[in-house]
């Protein structure tokens, strides 16, 4: 098992896990791009959006719901936040385990790309 995020799920790599349930976990990004930068992932190893089966689609909804709950806990729902899923080389996906970035706590760049 050489997937970094699977190792975080298994507790083999330490991380600041701030949420977990039976399907989803969330932790702070090791290299934060904003005052709040959380990573939300499925426990299951799904490499990217391309491998998400129709039956697994509800996971995305759960991840969004967890993200909003954590944003509220971080106190950034008033000012706002951004959810990002990178895909592929040009989209900037580095870690091949499906994940969502939650960014907030500062005014984010108006440019998305
Ligand atoms: P990607 O570019 O694949 O969308 O984002 C991967 C994110 O994972 C990056 O923001 C990177 O800082 C974060 N990351 C990579 N390795 C680790 C790690 O070992 N621990 C934590 N907490 N975050 C990581
Ligand atoms: Zn994985």
């Amino acid at each position: 098992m050489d997937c970094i995020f699977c190792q975080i799920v298994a507790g083999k790599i330490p991380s600041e896990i701030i949420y977990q349930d039976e399907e989803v976990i969330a932790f702070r990004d090791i290299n934060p791009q904003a005052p709040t930068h959380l990573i939300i992932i499925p426990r299951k190893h799904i490499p990217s959006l391309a491998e998400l089966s129709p039956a697994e689609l509800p996971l995305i909804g759960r991840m969004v719901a967890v993200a909003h709950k954590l944003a509220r806990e971080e106190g950034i729902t008033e000012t706002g936040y951004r959810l990002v899923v990178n895909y592929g080389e040009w989209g900037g996906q580095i870690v091949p385990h499906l994940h969502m970035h939650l960014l907030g706590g500062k005014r984010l760049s108006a440019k998305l790309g």
Side-chain angles (χ1 to χ4, degrees):
M1 182 176 71
D2 56 4
C3 170
I4 292 173
F5 287 176
C6 279
Q7 291 183 57
I8 286 176
V9 170
K12 289 183 177 147
I13 290 182
S15 71
E16 201 184 333
I17 293 176
I18 52 171
Y19 175 85
Q20 47 187 326
D21 63 30
E22 58 286 359
E23 292 199 282
V24 172
I25 80 165
F27 50 89
R28 291 195 191 278
D29 196 290
I30 205 169
N31 180 27
Q33 308 292 313
T36 292
H37 186 171
L38 307 182
I39 301 285
I40 299 112
I41 68 170
R43 283 181 182 276
K44 182 177 180 190
H45 181 80
I46 299 168
S48 78
L49 286 174
E51 289 80 18
L52 195 61
S53 71
E56 289 165 338
L57 276 177
L59 258 181
I60 296 292
R62 290 186 68 133
M63 289 162 70
V64 170
V66 166
H68 188 74
K69 168 186 142 60
L70 295 177
R72 211 180 322 110
E73 288 171 11
E74 292 278 307
I76 60 171
T77 46
E78 288 287 315
T79 47
Y81 63 84
R82 184 172 291 163
L83 296 180
V84 175
V85 178
N86 294 327
Y87 174 79
E89 187 185 350
W90 283 17
Q93 183 177 1
I94 307 277
V95 176
H97 181 129
L98 180 63
H99 56 279
M100 189 175 279
H101 297 256
L102 166 61
L103 297 146
K106 71 171 185 184
R107 184 178 291 274
L108 299 167
S109 165
K111 282 187 68 171
L112 280 177

